[in-house]
Amino acid sequence: MNLPNHQLTMTILMTPDKTNFFGNVHGGDVLKLLDQVAYACASRYAGRHVVTLSVDQVTFRQPIHVGELLTFLASVNFTGNTSIEVGIKVIAENILTKETRHVNSCFLTMVAMDESRKPVAVPTFTPSNPIEQRRHKAAELRREMRRQFEEKFNQIRKS
């Protein structure tokens, strides 16, 4: 598959060892997979190892069932100096019926690291089509909202 350097697709079969007490795939297992996909996408883009800075707006839209294929569609949406926002959409597919469902979406911010485990600059992401431009603008807004939240939280904490 020839995806651009800023996109990644990964598909995984959901097996019985991933079930929760209700018989669905455990949300924690999905979160771990989301983190791995974001790592792979951001590292591939930056050409460096990355670490997770934040996980935003994780939305579990529908339950995921054992035996379904989960496809993670990841894309770099925005880059800062050392950070990369990766958006991920998760599609579940019933292998027998071929029915697909959008089951999860989220945004993870990853930070590129050098060999000394210090943050290092990443290539600037420039959106090249209307979808990427929309995602880029939304990512800028999320970044500003995180900054404002942190500022207000620090004010409360100091008082």
Side-chain angles (χ1 to χ4, degrees), residues 126-157:
T126 305
S128 63
N129 61 51
I131 292 171
E132 290 178 358
Q133 291 168 354
R134 176 183 53 79
R135 291 175 179 164
H136 190 266
K137 284 181 184 178
E140 286 179 310
L141 179 59
R142 280 187 296 278
R143 183 178 187 185
E144 179 60 22
M145 289 170 56
R146 281 191 303 273
R147 188 194 63 72
Q148 288 176 9
F149 177 81
E150 184 174 354
E151 186 178 292
K152 288 180 182 183
F153 181 78
N154 286 335
Q155 288 173 355
I156 292 170
R157 196 176 63 176

Side-chain angles (χ1 to χ4, degrees), residues 2-156:
N2 287 332
L3 288 175
N5 200 34
H6 67 283
Q7 294 179 349
L8 181 90
T9 300
M10 190 162 82
T11 301
I12 299 172
L13 177 66
M14 294 297 99
T15 54
D17 61 312
K18 297 184 181 342
T19 58
N20 62 19
F21 296 107
F22 290 108
N24 298 319
V25 172
H26 194 282
D29 284 312
V30 176
L31 288 170
K32 182 177 179 181
L33 291 168
L34 289 165
D35 191 52
Q36 291 172 348
V37 170
Y39 171 86
C41 185
S43 291
R44 181 174 176 225
Y45 177 76
R48 297 196 162 271
H49 290 292
V50 298
V51 295
T52 306
L53 176 66
S54 68
V55 181
D56 292 346
Q57 299 178 346
V58 178
T59 305
F60 293 95
R61 299 166 54 102
Q62 297 181 26
I64 300 165
H65 307 293
V66 170
E68 290 184 313
L69 284 177
L70 281 194
T71 299
F72 297 82
L73 307 169
S75 180
V76 170
N77 291 334
F78 182 85
T79 54
N81 292 326
T82 61
S83 64
I84 302 168
E85 185 195 270
V86 177
I88 305 174
K89 180 178 183 178
V90 185
I91 305 296
E93 178 187 345
N94 180 308
I95 294 175
L96 301 177
T97 67
K98 309 292 189 261
E99 177 188 353
T100 60
R101 302 174 294 119
H102 177 191
V103 294
N104 188 291
S105 291
C106 73
F107 304 96
L108 291 92
T109 302
M110 313 301 280
V111 175
M113 306 301 270
D114 66 14
E115 294 75 21
S116 302
R117 299 180 188 231
K118 303 284 186 215
V120 63
V122 297
T124 301
F125 175 68
T126 305
S128 63
N129 61 51
I131 292 171
E132 290 178 358
Q133 291 168 354
R134 176 183 53 79
R135 291 175 179 164
H136 190 266
K137 284 181 184 178
E140 286 179 310
L141 179 59
R142 280 187 296 278
R143 183 178 187 185
E144 179 60 22
M145 289 170 56
R146 281 191 303 273
R147 188 194 63 72
Q148 288 176 9
F149 177 81
E150 184 174 354
E151 186 178 292
K152 288 180 182 183
F153 181 78
N154 286 335
Q155 288 173 355
I156 292 170

